[in-house]
Amino acid sequence: MDTIDRRIVEVLLDDGRASLAVIGDRVGLSAPAVKRRVDRLVADGVIRGFTAVLDPQHLGWGTEAYVELHCQGTIGPAELRAAFASVPEVQDAATVTGQADAIVRLVARDVRHLEDALERLRNAARNVERTETAIVLSRLVERGGALPARPLE
C-alpha cells in the first residue's frame, strides 16, 4: 500500500458510498484509476468488503455487554466460533490471553433479553465454568474497522 492507497481507504472509511469520481477528486486520480486501485485492494484482502453500518439503538437493541467466558480444560477456537455463531446476539468474539478463554460482545433489547442470550451463550459452548459480564454504559470511541494508516513505529 502506498500513500494514495491509504488516502483511498481513508475516503472509503469516511464515506463508504463515495463514488469513484469523488474518491478520485480527493486523491488526485481519475475514476478508472481509483477503480483499479480499489479492485486491487479488495483482491489483496486489504478491503474485506463493503457494508452498511447500522446503529443497534435505532433497531431496538439498546443493551450491549462484553462477556468473558472461562472454560474448564481446553476448548479450541473452531469450537468456540461454532458455539458463538449459534447465538444471534453475538456481534463480535475473540479468543484472548489471560484468565478468560474468550471475550464476546453481545447486543440485546433489554437486560431481560441479555440474560436470556447469556444463558444460551453459556449452553452453546462446552465446559463453560463461568462468565463475567460488563454492561456498556456509553461508547467512547468507535472506529468501525478503521485502522491507523500505518503501524506506529
Side-chain angles (χ1 to χ4, degrees), residues 35-58:
K35 180 177 182 347
R36 284 191 299 274
R37 284 179 174 259
V38 170
D39 288 347
R40 184 178 40 78
L41 290 167
V42 170
D44 290 348
V46 174
I47 297 174
R48 294 190 310 183
F50 299 87
T51 187
V53 179
L54 305 175
D55 184 340
Q57 294 279 342
H58 291 323

Side-chain angles (χ1 to χ4, degrees), residues 35-97:
K35 180 177 182 347
R36 284 191 299 274
R37 284 179 174 259
V38 170
D39 288 347
R40 184 178 40 78
L41 290 167
V42 170
D44 290 348
V46 174
I47 297 174
R48 294 190 310 183
F50 299 87
T51 187
V53 179
L54 305 175
D55 184 340
Q57 294 279 342
H58 291 323
L59 298 172
W61 299 85
T63 301
E64 179 179 6
Y66 287 91
V67 182
E68 289 184 352
L69 265 79
H70 301 261
C71 299
Q72 292 178 334
T74 59
I75 185 166
E79 187 176 346
L80 287 170
R81 183 180 302 109
F84 298 155
S86 71
V87 181
E89 294 85 354
V90 172
Q91 296 299 293
D92 300 294
T95 55
V96 294
T97 62

